[in-house]
Amino acid sequence: MDIAQMEGTLNVVGYGLAAIGPGIGVALIFAAWITATARQPESAGITRPMLFMGFALVEVLALFGLVLAFALS
């Protein structure tokens, strides 16, 4: 295995480890929204857009990491 192949492999492994963060972030966002909705059900409509904005932001960061992992390899 030469150095170029090893760098590509390390990029993919690095992204795999970096994908754990967004997974945890999505779980925390949804857990917070469920808790808030359980405490005040009438606020569900108000907080739902914030839920989706947070979810989208975390997912965009994960996709950005994926693009960088393959662009740098």
Side-chain angles (χ1 to χ4, degrees):
M1 178 179 274
D2 70 11
I3 299 297
Q5 286 177 333
M6 183 175 282
E7 285 179 6
T9 305
L10 290 176
N11 283 344
V12 174
V13 169
Y15 174 71
L17 292 174
I20 295 170
I24 293 171
V26 167
L28 290 174
I29 289 168
F30 277 94
W33 185 77
I34 290 169
T35 302
T37 304
R39 288 178 185 238
Q40 284 188 315
E42 66 274 4
S43 73
I46 297 169
T47 57
R48 190 173 297 123
M50 289 183 269
L51 166 79
F52 290 124
M53 288 298 292
F55 173 73
L57 179 64
V58 169
E59 287 299 317
V60 163
L61 290 175
L63 290 174
F64 185 66
L66 177 67
V67 168
L68 280 178
F70 288 110
L72 296 176
S73 65

